[in-house]
Amino acid sequence: MKEQIHADVERIMLTDQEIQARIKETAERLDVIYKDRNPVVVCILKGSVVFFADLIRNMTSRMELDFMSISSYGAGTTSSGELRIIQDLRTDIQGRDVLIVEDIIDSGNTLYVLKKMLNERNPASLNIVTLLDKPERRVAPIEPEYTCFVIEDEFVIGYGLDYAERYRNLPYVGILKRTVYEK
Ligand code: IMP
Ligand code: MG
């Protein structure tokens, strides 16, 4: 009973404490930039929801929140450059400072297309903060302005990240057991 989702984790990559400490640092950096800008802070659903909730609560800047749900077409575990908007922003971002909160940047295809799309709405600025970055896998020319952790090329779960919609509620970032994939 106690084990449940934890039993499927091979190794913990980032502990809850490590994540919280790094988020605090990142929030302080962001406050310096955004304190007088009333930014629109955008949560990219669903993967970013846990990071977003912790990040915004560590920031003291006045801000507005918005949510966007997107899915990138692509076979299996890789995304393509085609983006489908499941749920768009409700805020008009023209002239606004926008901060996109992402869980992980892998190939970069998703954010590359998203950034282009949002830039067409003429925001005053458009920056990206990501919890995780896997630079080895990058295909699209995109770099986040703020990164909490650069990680090696492993498929990770937890703290919002899923495998087949599961494990998002793990409090840490971990590596899934192979046996789970091979089941
Ligand atoms: P990209 O377009 O390849 O950068 O894809 C980014 C998206 O792929 C992320 O927002 C995640 O939803 C998903 N993704 C990429 N790598 C991982 C991973 O290691 N674990 C879970 N999801 C991942
Ligand atoms: Mg995602």
Side-chain angles (χ1 to χ4, degrees), residues 10 18 67 74 90 94 102 112 115 130 163 166 172:
E10 179 68 45
E18 287 173 318
F67 300 84
R90 295 175 68 171
Q94 177 160 7
E102 182 59 303
Y112 181 76
K115 200 172 174 182
T130 189
Y163 169 68
R166 287 156 72 189
Y172 49 78

Side-chain angles (χ1 to χ4, degrees), residues 149-177:
F149 300 96
V150 174
I151 63 167
E152 63 265 44
D153 182 12
E154 296 265 18
F155 191 83
V156 290
I157 49 158
Y159 201 75
L161 292 140
D162 73 307
Y163 169 68
E165 291 302 328
R166 287 156 72 189
Y167 309 107
R168 293 192 195 275
N169 58 319
L170 281 170
Y172 49 78
V173 172
I175 297 169
L176 199 58
K177 278 184 183 162

